[in-house]
Amino acid sequence: MAVRALRGAIQVDENSRDAILEGTTELIKAVMHRNTITPDDLISVIFTATPDLDAEFPAYAARLLGFTDVPLLCTTEIGVPGAMPRVLRLLAHIETETPRSGLHHVYLHGAAALRRDLPQ
């Protein structure tokens, strides 16, 4: 069993509690589904939010999905001038037999423009 990392991002419409929770939930579910993983496969998840998103902790959405024994961390992205606004990102560390080339990183809605090199 190898330790691998999965990336994902989603752009939300506004800085509201509901938008952050709904966007984070959508992102988590998409990453889990596209990679056929369960919470038992997770080692830890780091969430980042652009500086304009501060109405809720993205990790709270993971707790609501039942990630009660997975270490979670939230932090703020670097505020680079001209960067895409209202973006939530995750970096999930997992245990898997899947080779790195078989993992599917997930970029949703406007955040898909961040990684045009990846199939959506």
Side-chain angles (χ1 to χ4, degrees):
M1 189 81 59
V3 174
R4 304 272 188 232
L6 288 168
R7 288 288 319 265
I10 187 168
Q11 186 178 42
V12 297
D13 293 331
E14 63 184 15
N15 180 31
S16 70
R17 183 175 193 270
D18 287 344
I20 292 170
L21 292 177
E22 289 168 12
T24 305
T25 297
E26 181 181 355
L27 178 59
I28 291 168
K29 286 181 175 181
V31 168
M32 303 286 284
H33 175 75
R34 291 188 191 176
N35 290 283
T36 319
I37 58 174
T38 69
D40 288 338
D41 300 317
L42 293 169
I43 296 168
S44 63
V45 184
I46 300 169
F47 295 94
T48 69
T50 49
D52 53 358
L53 294 176
D54 61 3
E56 183 57 270
F57 294 105
Y60 184 57
R63 295 285 182 233
L64 294 174
L65 288 172
F67 294 16
T68 57
D69 63 350
V70 177
L72 306 174
L73 177 68
C74 294
T75 188
T76 305
E77 280 287 329
I78 299 168
V80 176
M84 183 179 289
R86 301 178 321 280
V87 176
L88 300 165
R89 292 175 172 87
L90 69 74
L91 175 65
H93 300 96
I94 62 171
E95 290 181 312
T96 183
E97 298 290 344
T98 305
R100 186 176 291 137
S101 62
L103 297 177
H104 304 284
H105 305 287
V106 178
Y107 290 79
L108 302 173
H109 304 300
L114 296 171
R115 292 297 307 267
R116 294 187 190 274
D117 59 314
L118 296 176
Q120 299 298 322

